[in-house]
Amino acid sequence: MVVPIGEDGEETPADKAWAIHAAIIGLNTGNLLFRGLELDPDNPEMVTVACLAILAAALPFQAIFFLINSYIQEASNVHEMEYVMLQRLSLICQTISYLSLTAIGILMFETHVYVGGSFFAGCIIAFFLLRTAMTQAETLSSVR
């Protein structure tokens, strides 16, 4: 049997993934609602429609991620094979959820080029800050 929750009671990576995906599903749902209401019914912008379709397609995968994650955390006797299979399915759902963020980025550019440019620049800066922090942590851990 596999026990997915740490015995020490600390927050597990699954809890962090839960919080991240809750934020993504909220962002996607909000964009679907408000950007969908803004669409011109006679002549909708097709890029916006395509992005909203991506967000709509990602929502079921996000819901399945929550179901899988809840099952793994709450089930007391998950078989190892079942656990591995559920983890793989969860990874697929997480990947689709993360990929839906590209539609959010495109919607930012559809709002205004400065909004999209700022979003893109922020993503690049955040990526390099993350890489720097990871490299620094790796260097510091090897010094010990």
Side-chain angles (χ1 to χ4, degrees):
M1 299 299 163
V2 176
V3 180
I5 297 176
E7 291 179 10
D8 55 2
E10 288 188 25
E11 188 174 339
T12 64
D15 293 336
K16 293 175 186 172
W18 182 276
I20 290 168
H21 288 282
I24 292 173
I25 200 169
L27 178 68
N28 288 356
T29 304
N31 270 285
L32 273 170
L33 175 65
F34 293 110
R35 296 297 293 257
L37 290 172
E38 292 175 354
L39 284 176
D40 181 8
D42 298 326
N43 189 18
E45 297 177 26
M46 289 313 294
V47 173
T48 302
V49 171
C51 289
L52 294 178
I54 292 169
L55 297 181
L59 286 175
F61 290 95
Q62 292 163 340
I64 290 171
F65 165 78
F66 287 120
L67 291 172
I68 291 171
N69 199 5
S70 295
Y71 176 75
I72 289 173
Q73 287 184 355
E74 294 176 12
S76 59
N77 56 354
V78 178
H79 249 205
E80 187 173 348
M81 286 298 289
E82 182 183 18
Y83 181 75
V84 170
M85 180 192 64
L86 289 171
Q87 285 295 334
R88 287 182 182 164
L89 290 172
S90 176
L91 183 61
I92 292 168
C93 292
Q94 287 181 52
T95 302
I96 292 170
S97 181
Y98 288 135
L99 289 175
S100 73
L101 293 176
T102 59
I104 297 295
I106 295 169
L107 285 172
M108 298 273 185
F109 276 101
E110 282 294 304
T111 301
H112 194 275
V113 70
Y114 290 151
V115 173
S118 297
F119 178 75
F120 184 71
C123 288
I124 297 296
I125 292 168
F127 174 76
F128 282 115
L129 286 174
L130 176 65
R131 289 292 302 152
T132 302
M134 289 173 62
T135 303
Q136 193 71 12
E138 186 176 305
T139 303
L140 290 174
S141 69
S142 66
V143 171
R144 289 184 186 188

